[in-house]
Every structure is written in structure tokens, then in C-alpha cells.
Amino acid sequence: MNKARKILNDPLRVADELLEGLVLAGDGKVVKLPGVNALVRPDLPEGKVALLVGGGSGHEPLFHGFVGKNMADGAACGDIFAAPSPDVPYEATKAIHRGNGVLYLYGNYAGDAMNFDIAAEMAAADGIRVETIRICDDVASAPPERASERRGIAGDLYMIKIAGGAAATYPTLDEVVRVTRKAVDNIRSLGVALAAGSIPQTGEPTFLLPDDEIEIGMGVHGEPGVGRQKMTSADALTAQMLERLLADLPFKQGDSVCLLVNSLGSTTMMECLIVNRAARALLAERGITVHATDIGPYVTCQEMAGFSITLMRLDDELRRLYDLPADSVGYRKMGKAGA
Amino acid sequence: MNKARKILNDPLRVADELLEGLVLAGDGKVVKLPGVNALVRPDLPEGKVALLVGGGSGHEPLFHGFVGKNMADGAACGDIFAAPSPDVPYEATKAIHRGNGVLYLYGNYAGDAMNFDIAAEMAAADGIRVETIRICDDVASAPPERASERRGIAGDLYMIKIAGGAAATYPTLDEVVRVTRKAVDNIRSLGVALAAGSIPQTGEPTFLLPDDEIEIGMGVHGEPGVGRQKMTSADALTAQMLERLLADLPFKQGDSVCLLVNSLGSTTMMECLIVNRAARALLAERGITVHATDIGPYVTCQEMAGFSITLMRLDDELRRLYDLPADSVGYRKMGKAGA
Amino acid sequence: MSPEKDAWDAEALKRALERAADLILSETETLTRADQAIGDGDHGIGMARGFNAVKAALPACEPTVPAVLETVGRTLMLKVGGSSGAIFGTLFMAGSKAVSEAPFDAEGFARFLEAGLEGVQKRGNARPGDKTLVDALAPAAAEARATLHQNGGASLGQCLHAAARAAGDGMERTRGMVATLGRAKTLGERSLGHPDPGAISMTLLLRGLAGAMNEAP
Amino acid sequence: MSPEKDAWDAEALKRALERAADLILSETETLTRADQAIGDGDHGIGMARGFNAVKAALPACEPTVPAVLETVGRTLMLKVGGSSGAIFGTLFMAGSKAVSEAPFDAEGFARFLEAGLEGVQKRGNARPGDKTLVDALAPAAAEARATLHQNGGASLGQCLHAAARAAGDGMERTRGMVATLGRAKTLGERSLGHPDPGAISMTLLLRGLAGAMNEAP
Ligand SMILES: Nc1ncnc2c1ncn2[C@@H]1O[C@H](COP(=O)(O)OP(=O)(O)O)[C@@H](O)[C@H]1O
Ligand SMILES: Nc1ncnc2c1ncn2[C@@H]1O[C@H](COP(=O)(O)OP(=O)(O)O)[C@@H](O)[C@H]1O
Ligand SMILES: [Mg+2]
Ligand SMILES: [Mg+2]
Ligand SMILES: [Mg+2]
Ligand SMILES: [Mg+2]
């Protein structure tokens, strides 16, 4: 495999520079805190429940690209593929707290959990109430009995959409926590890796996959999944993935869902649309209706080839929150009612 | 270069299948016409000026992903990298015409021009008034004196945003044509290719580029640009590209612009943000203010590595049209006022 | 020169066009390979799609010479796609307007090619030397007219064969040209040595028509 | 065993920690290479960032033993980043709470390691055998306590040296372990043969402290 061709300056300053670019792309809607790689919304009203997200960088637009109206209020950004040190979420917490508590929402990885936990303890010492929910949507990473040990992958987008909507409309942290937990319970994802992305500092592949083999359920950094197999057709692959995904919640006839086909990086929208076609046919067969669809590179791992399918089962409350308009650099959306 | 790993079924049915997937992703907001690969909005009011876009597929979300509210009313979709036959735009024209004329808007490529022209003649024979504007934003493809011979690249997005907004709000085709021509006059793009994408039917690279070389201005299928050179830093590359871009219109101190950093496929948002950082510093130096920023893979060529920078110089009218909300599978946006 | 073969009525013209269609269909693979070499490889697929549709459309077509040519043009235009759909479609549509309802004779054939060439050039702006099918069509049109004048009036058969030969020669000359239009333009110098795919199709079309002249009705 | 070296006051503890910081800083490259082999290569960078910050923070720190240890912990936590920032930060923060304001003696050192280990395991849930720095820290803590009891009371120096040796042995044993936590987990069997980077850092820290005991004040 050739080294990836990357458009970079100093490979060690990637996180700093991308955040600067992101703040500028936000056109005034997000600001960076001095001294730490945290982005926050400057315009939060007093009393708003605050939503803080974050994790390693290199997965753009996740997480820091999802700060904005009806999305996250702040993001704590680590170095490439590395958890932020606790001062980053801690400073972000102080900056977005409006007297009504802060929800920490991030992917369930050990480094993130430790550092956000420390930040939460520091915030608690300052009298700020913090609650934590870890995103664990990847069905390949642990069996259903140990669902809370699962990794967070593309379900991050829907988690932030729901939690962000709740934090924008609900008056108490308890309410926001309640609906965000409900989202955790109703979101499932499964991915497939076709080829590795690269580590920006070195251009080396993030993992090795034999030619012509793919791995279903492989994590976004190459973490082991369900198993390796030969490449197959889009329809067969989608069927195989959906079968496992649907059985997990399980999703049932009559369910209404949001469907996300997420590109891991270099897989094109063309391919994701072909996957969407196959997925919709299978969902229709099972009597599952799709309320709304998102397609694109939202949770990526550099130019990794592959995609994931995420389903979020809706009730009226989740549907209402999903349908809120959203405005962030990485995810934008008109409201359902139009404008 | 290894063969690209693509998620496909029958390589010859790619365009048909992706359109099916796209219609499903539109959640009822777009429909496919029977017998031809054309997408149209089903809900167009009588008297609306209609906007038809289109071209070869394989550049998703361009063009067919940009059908929706305040965007295009229909898209005529060809096979991978091939112009649609004239029946596609012709049928689409009949489907979206509401008694007030149709604007054809597409990239300035020979095959597209011939086929859309034939469709326009067929529509004219049916008494439908059609006007045509070809997108020619790529400054690398011809000198300023022959600007009308230039290719259309990522400026397609802004052209469709402006023309779509105009067609949604202006009462006559003449008005829509006037403002769309103004957009042509005020949009400039320049791209750089770092590595080829692949042809879905074969997995073969779309063009060859020596290791470690890049080509500034190369077209999205490998058409010749300004010249080849060694890879350099993000900042140096951005400066080099912006210099040429700014000199072309020329953009001047005091101008207000929209800025699009478009990924050609596998170049990550992380990299585009780093480019954005560099671009903003240079624009600030020149006294050019950025009204709004778009970053992402909007006009792609499969998993090609590279990016382009597009600037649209605004006046009050273009700013107002750009700021309209938008809702399509490939481009979504809240209105400026919020919701 | 047998006078009954000196012109085709609409039914004979249909049969000749079917014969030309068969020749192109039998060479689909050649066209594919030629377009793979310097284009995007879809020319054979497109022409096959188009001429299969022509064969399906001809039987029901109104039996007048202009109507037959117009049907072929419209069918190709709608079914081939890409550049060559527009170009071959235009050739027949524009050519059909230059012929009368009288049987298709040498004068009609020359006018068809001349008007078709004019239409093609108006549509696509290709000039001779750009390495397109104009490099086969232009000499074919000129040769048909020259043959007609040469002997103080030639037969349709003579003109068809002369035009097909001229097209073939023109097609061979495209090997030495650098593409300046269409998709092959991307290749620049790399297009040297390969014939233009559309010029091959053009040659096959004329060879097919000429071949029909020698056949039993 | 000289009684004046049997315990460190806050200033002596600062000097010893500076000495340990220097040892870690001199081995940055080793840590980087170790983390490149089975992790993501950032461990050396993170530790260097952290211990440079520790050296900068110590001089101004309030001169009590718990305050010094707490300052080191807070500094590492905020500056290192990734998993090891949280872990080393927790080691010192938790350890600082187990010691009194009295000079830092063998009993204090043993308590520091025991409480630090407890904090680290609470924070990261690593058990011995998971191939983390716990595999160096746990035997070090056990050995410090055992040395203290063995002779009916040992000196701080004896305990420091014994703990450093135990950490080094534990670190060497991580070569034979398959990582089950953290980033190296990704590699599975491929992590075999390589020592755990955090266990190397842990060993260097204790060796640095032990080395300080032999130096002139
Ligand atoms: N402007 C033009 N004028 C005349 N012929 C053209 C023109 N552009 C392309 N052609 C012809 O079309 C042929 C290619 O046809 P085809 O492969 O079907 O189209 P595409 O380039 O869209 O894939 C070329 O070999 C050339 O002969
Ligand atoms: N849960 C844990 N408990 C204890 N130590 C851990 C844990 N996770 C990781 N470590 C230690 O951290 C080291 C890696 O540190 P570092 O490279 O800075 O972190 P990251 O894995 O985030 O890149 C490992 O070698 C290991 O010793
Ligand atoms: Mg790391
Ligand atoms: Mg083509
Ligand atoms: Mg072709
Ligand atoms: Mg590491």
C-alpha cells in the first residue's frame, strides 16, 4: 500500500490547525477557548442545560464539527486518535455551564472515559453538576448482554442530534439524561472496513487487511470485529450486516427508524446510495418504515474505505427531537416544517 | 496502485441503482420519472420557474443529490462520467415545467452541451421556453479571455444554490437567468489532484499521476490543468492556488465572498479544515471577508484525492439567495434567520 | 448500372439501414476496445443500444424516405447517450431534412451526408483534424458529391461505395491525430496511434449501407 | 542506614521528582518507539510534555509533601493527554491523599504506591496481566511493603530500590502478555514480545526516585 497523500503542514500540529480552520468555518457560531483545544458556542442562554461532546481528532466532522444550534454546546478535542487531557473537557465545562448542569456525551473508549471522568470530578469540585453517557452503538464490539461495553461509532451523530435537541428544549439535566439514555437504548450500528486509512503523522496505514478481504464490525482504528471474509456485492454485504443489526435491538415490524449510511472516508456517496437502496428493500420486507435518511461521511477514520449502517428506532419524542433543524459545520438540516 | 475496493453490485447498473438509493434517501421529496434516469420534485407549484441540472453520474452528491427545496427542481442523470441522452433532460423538462419556462444549468462539457441542447430544441418544439447556462468556474481550464470555454467543477454547488434560490423566489425565467449569469460572473474555482479515483466499472484509476507529484488545475476526470509539481505543504499549496484564483476575477479588498473547500473524494474534512485555515488567513490579508463557508465532498470524482477552492463574490442579491435554507440529500442548510 | 437499383424507396432504405445496423452490432467489441484505448470505453455499448433500438423502430415507421431517416435519428439520439448519441442522432435528423419524399438516389445520398455533416458540426463544433467522426464523415460527403459529378451523374451504388472508402481512409488518418475535443482530449498526445472510435462507427455505417446495395432485395 | 536520608522533606522530595523527570525526559525516544511498536506512538511525546510541565511547576509549589505530590498529579493529568495522562495523574493525585504532612519516609512511600495503585485501578479497571503499567506498579507497591516489613522496618532508600527493581521485572514480564486494554488491544497477539510503554515509564519514574536517594543533596 502506498503512503497516503495528505494535505498537511506540521503533522504534530494537525489538531491545533484543524480546530482553527473549524472555528473559521463556523462563521462566528463557535469559538475556541484560550489554551485548550475546546470549541464552544458563545451564545448560550442562562439556564440552558449544556451538552459537551469530544474525543480524539482525525474522525472529522465528528466531534468538534457537531457543535452548533440544536447540536452540541461544546467539544473537547484530543490529538489525532487520542483522548483529550481532562483540562480540555474541564475548561469547556466551565465555559458552557449556565447553572443547570452539563451532560458529557462521548464514545465508549478507555482513554476518553478516564479523562472525561477526571474532568467531571474537577467540575463537581467546582459545584457543577455533570452527568455522563457513553455512546456504545457498535453491535460488533460486544454481545447484547454486555451492550454497555460496546464502542461508539457512527451512532455518535444520532446521539448528538438527539441529546443536542433535548438540551436545547428541555429545562432540566435529568430530562436530557433520560432522553439521551433512551437514544442509547434505541441506536445500533454495524460497520465494515474495506481498506485502512492512514495515520496523519506518518502516512502509515492504521491497520492491515489482506487484499480482497474485508472485516465486518472492525472498529474505526482497526479494532477487531465479527470476522474477516472475502469481498462481496453491495446487496449481499448490506443484507449480511442488516441481519445482524436488526436482530440486536431487535428491530421489529411496525418500527419507525432513522437510517444513517455513514462513509468511513473514501467510500463514495455513490456507493452509500447503492447500500441505501439495498437496505431500504430489506427494511421494507421486514415492515420497518424509514422516517428520515442521512448519507455521508460523518464519522470517519481518515481515508479508510468502508461504511456503517446505523438505525435509530423512534418514538414520538425521539422523532420530534430528530426533526429539529440543526446548524453545525459538520451537520446541517432544515426543520421538518420547512422555512 | 491497487484496484479500488468498491461496494457495488452490477458495475453496469451503477447509475440506475444509485438513483434508486437517492430517491429513497429523499424521503418522498424527489421521485424518479419512469423509463429515464431523471429525478424531479413532485410538489412544484404552478407558475414556478423550473431549474433543471444534470450530467454524468459518479460525482455524487452532484448533480442529482442537489434536487430539493430552494435547490434544483430536477436532474438529468447520465451513466458514470457520461452525458445523459437528450430524452432524459427532455422528459425531466416536461415533468417540471409549470408554464413559466425552464433553466438548464450544467457543467460546460461537450457531451452535456450537445445532449441538453437537443433536449432544449425538443422542448421548444413542444412550446416550452428553455434557457441554458453552462457552469464554467475552473480558472485552470482556459484563460480569462476565453472564460466561457472553461470547465465546470465545484462551483456547481454555488451555481445550483443561487439558481435554485432564484427559481424559488423570482417570478420570471428572465430574472432567474439574469441572476444565474451574475453568479457565473462571480464564481471562480481551482482544484488540485493528488491521486486518481477509479472507474467503477473497472476499478482502474481515472488517470495516472507520478508518485509524489500533484497537478494544480487538473480536471475531475484527469483533464490537464496548470501543471505538475512536487507535493508541498497545505499552507504553500493553498497560497499558490488562492493567488491564481484571486487574480482571476479579480477579487479585491472589501469583497465579501462565500468560500467552499471541496474534497474530491478521499481527502478528509480534517485536511479541508487545515486548508480553510490557510485560506482564511490569506483572504484576511487581502481584506476579503468571508460571509459563509462550506466544507465537504460536494463535487467528487470517486475516491480521488485532492480538493478545490471556490470563491463566490457576493452582492446583496447573491447573499440573500445564498442565505435561503436548502433541503436536498446532498446539501442541507438552515436559513440564516434560524428556526 | 441497373436503373431499379439506382434509388431506394422507403422500404429498401429500411432494409439497407437494418443491414448497416447489423454490421455495427457485430463490431460492438471493436468499438468498445477503441473507446477503452482513448476514451471511456462506453462507445460500443452505446452504439449497440442505439442500433438495436433502430432495428426495433424501423418496421413500424411511416414509409417515406425522410420519415425513415428521421426515425433513425430520433432513436439514436434518445438511446445512445454520451457524445456519440447526440452526434449520430444529429447526423440523421439533419440529413433527413435535406431529402425529398422521392426515392433515395445518389443526389439524395450526397445531400443527406452534406446536411448531416453541417448539422454535426453545428452541434459539436468539430473541425476536420480534431480526431472525431467528422474526420470520416467530411471526406465521405465530399467523395459522394465528387463521384456524382465526376461521371456526369453516378449511381447510388457508386456513391455509397466511394463514400465508404473515403470514410475508411479518413478513419485511418485519425490515428495520426491528437484529440482536441471530447473525452479523448484528456489524453492529449497519448491518443496518438489509435483511431477515433466514432470514426470507426461512421465507416461501419457507410460500409453497411454500401453492402446492402449489392444484395438481393 | 543514615537517619537523615531515611525521609525526604518537601524540598528533598521536589528534588527527587525533578531527578525522576530528567530520567524520563532523557528516555523520550525509547517511550516513543515502544508505543509505536504496540500503540499509537504518542506516549513519549505525552510524557515529555507532562514532565517538562512538572519541572516548571515544582519550584513554586507549596512545600508540604502532599502538596508536592498533588501538584505533580494535577500537572501530569492536564498536560500528558491520552490514557497515560489520566493514569499517571491519578497515581499521584490518589497517592498524595494517602501521605501525611510529615517527611516522606518508607511507610509514606509504601502508602503512596498502594493508594496510587488503588486509584489507578479504580480509574482504569486494569488488572495485573492486562499489559499496562499496573504490571509494573502492582509489584512495586507489593515489594515496597514487603521490604518495609521484612527487616522489621527498612529505610526509604531500601524501599525505593526494591520497588524500582520489582517494577523493572514486572515491565519485562509484560513482553509475554497480550494486551487486553487500551490502544494496544487492537493488535491482539501482535503485541506479544514488546514491553508495555506505560510500564517502562513507571519503571523509569521509580528508578529516578531511587537514584535521587544516592545523590548529594
Ligand atoms: N464535438 C464532437 N463532434 C463530433 N464528434 C464527436 C464530438 N465529440 C465526440 N465525438 C465523437 O464521439 C465519439 C465518442 O463517443 P462516445 O464514447 O459514445 O461518447 P463519450 O465521449 O461521451 O463517451 C468520439 O470517438 C468522436 O468520434
Ligand atoms: N486502563 C488502563 N489502566 C492502566 N494503564 C493504562 C490503561 N490504559 C492504558 N494504560 C497505559 O497507558 C499506556 C499508553 O499511554 P499513551 O500512549 O499515553 O495513551 P494512548 O493509549 O491514549 O495513546 C499503556 O502503555 C498503558 O501502560
Ligand atoms: Mg494516543
Ligand atoms: Mg462516455
Ligand atoms: Mg465514450
Ligand atoms: Mg499512545
Side-chain angles (χ1 to χ4, degrees), chain A residues 114, chain D residues 35 40 42-43 81-84 87 120 124 126 132-134 181-183 196-199:
Chain A
M114 290 191 281
Chain D
D35 199 34
D40 55 1
D42 59 359
H43 185 56
S83 298
S84 58
I87 292 295
V120 162
T132 69
L133 58 73
V134 165
L181 271 182
R183 193 155 295 286
D196 174 66

Side-chain angles (χ1 to χ4, degrees), chain B residues 44-312:
Chain B
L44 299 172
E46 205 49 39
K48 181 186 187 305
V49 176
L51 175 65
L52 180 68
V53 300
S57 64
H59 306 289
E60 288 69 27
L62 182 81
F63 285 94
H64 20 286
F66 296 153
V67 177
K69 187 172 175 67
N70 291 338
M71 300 282 286
D73 298 312
C77 176
D79 266 329
I80 296 289
F81 306 154
S85 56
D87 55 331
V88 189
Y90 173 60
E91 293 299 332
T93 301
K94 289 191 292 182
I96 64 176
H97 184 238
R98 290 292 181 277
N100 212 356
V102 183
L103 174 61
Y104 285 8
L105 180 67
Y106 54 87
N108 186 32
Y109 294 89
D112 294 303
M114 292 191 280
N115 284 285
F116 275 89
D117 279 354
I118 294 166
E121 291 159 19
M122 292 163 74
D126 292 350
I128 299 175
R129 182 169 164 222
V130 171
E131 293 287 338
T132 292
I133 295 179
R134 301 195 183 101
I135 303 167
C136 50
D137 56 313
D138 182 0
V139 303
S141 52
E145 319 79 80
R146 295 191 281 123
S148 69
E149 291 175 28
R150 289 173 170 175
R151 297 185 286 257
I153 55 170
D156 292 346
L157 173 64
Y158 282 165
M159 288 299 308
I160 295 171
K161 182 79 184 69
I162 296 299
T169 48
Y170 289 0
T172 68
L173 181 55
D174 288 334
E175 280 290 280
V176 176
V177 165
R178 178 188 57 75
V179 72
T180 306
R181 281 200 210 292
K182 182 159 72 176
V184 168
D185 292 341
N186 285 283
I187 294 177
R188 296 291 186 281
S189 302
L190 182 60
V192 59
L194 278 72
S198 64
I199 298 168
Q201 291 92 330
T202 61
E204 304 290 340
T206 43
F207 55 86
L208 294 168
L209 202 53
D211 253 23
D212 211 40
E213 284 192 18
I214 61 176
E215 180 154 344
I216 293 189
M218 181 181 257
V220 284
H221 315 90
E223 299 92 334
V226 173
R228 299 203 173 175
Q229 61 180 56
K230 291 280 167 227
M231 184 58 187
T232 174
S233 73
D235 286 358
L237 197 53
T238 305
Q240 202 183 338
M241 290 167 66
L242 262 189
E243 189 162 338
R244 197 179 173 103
L245 205 52
L246 290 172
D248 195 86
L249 191 66
F251 294 86
K252 292 186 307 290
Q253 181 164 6
D255 282 349
S256 165
V257 299
C258 287
L259 168 62
L260 164 63
V261 182
N262 177 65
S263 164
L264 290 169
S266 72
T267 289
T268 59
M269 186 169 197
M270 175 190 87
E271 293 159 272
C272 292
L273 290 170
I274 290 173
V275 168
N276 184 52
R277 169 184 172 275
R280 286 295 289 266
L282 295 162
L283 291 172
E285 256 174 38
R286 306 286 185 103
I288 296 167
T289 60
V290 175
H291 170 67
T293 311
D294 292 278
I295 296 189
Y298 291 112
V299 175
T300 66
C301 186
Q302 297 302 306
E303 68 286 354
M304 183 168 167
F307 68 96
S308 58
I309 301 174
T310 299
L311 293 176
M312 170 165 66

Side-chain angles (χ1 to χ4, degrees), chain A residues 71-88:
Chain A
M71 300 283 286
D73 297 311
C77 177
D79 267 329
I80 297 289
F81 306 154
S85 56
D87 55 331
V88 189

Side-chain angles (χ1 to χ4, degrees), chain A residues 1-2 5-9 13-14 17-18 20-22 24-25 27 29 58 60-61 69 80 194-195 200 209-214 231-237 265-271 273-277 280 290-295 297-298 302-303 305-307 322 325-327 329-336 338-339, chain B residues 1-2 5-9 13-14 17-18 20-22 24-25 27 29 58 60-61 69 80 194-195 200 209-214 231-237 265-271 273-277 280 290-295 297-298 302-303 305-307 322 325-327 329-336 338-339:
Chain A
M1 185 175 163
N2 293 333
R5 297 197 188 177
K6 288 277 184 186
I7 303 149
L8 299 175
N9 297 306
R13 293 204 62 246
V14 166
E17 291 191 353
L18 79 86
E20 286 178 40
L22 184 52
L24 291 162
D27 297 317
K29 285 178 292 236
E60 287 69 29
K69 188 173 173 68
I80 297 289
L194 277 72
L209 203 54
D211 254 23
D212 213 40
E213 284 192 18
I214 62 177
M231 184 58 187
T232 176
S233 72
D235 285 358
L237 198 52
S266 72
T267 288
T268 59
M269 186 169 194
M270 175 190 89
E271 294 158 272
L273 290 169
I274 291 173
V275 168
N276 184 51
R277 170 184 173 274
R280 286 295 289 264
V290 175
H291 170 67
T293 310
D294 292 277
I295 295 189
Y298 292 112
Q302 298 299 308
E303 68 286 356
F307 68 95
Y322 175 85
D327 192 13
V329 171
Y331 186 81
R332 304 191 298 196
K333 191 173 180 315
M334 270 176 67
K336 256 284 164 174
Chain B
M1 184 175 163
N2 293 332
R5 297 196 188 178
K6 288 278 187 187
I7 301 150
L8 299 174
N9 297 306
R13 294 205 61 245
V14 167
E17 292 191 352
L18 79 86
E20 286 178 41
L22 185 51
L24 291 162
D27 297 316
K29 285 178 291 242
E60 288 69 27
K69 187 172 175 67
I80 296 289
L194 278 72
L209 202 53
D211 253 23
D212 211 40
E213 284 192 18
I214 61 176
M231 184 58 187
T232 174
S233 73
D235 286 358
L237 197 53
S266 72
T267 289
T268 59
M269 186 169 197
M270 175 190 87
E271 293 159 272
L273 290 170
I274 290 173
V275 168
N276 184 52
R277 169 184 172 275
R280 286 295 289 266
V290 175
H291 170 67
T293 311
D294 292 278
I295 296 189
Y298 291 112
Q302 297 302 306
E303 68 286 354
F307 68 96
Y322 174 84
D327 193 13
V329 171
Y331 186 82
R332 305 191 298 195
K333 193 176 181 313
M334 270 177 68
K336 257 280 165 176

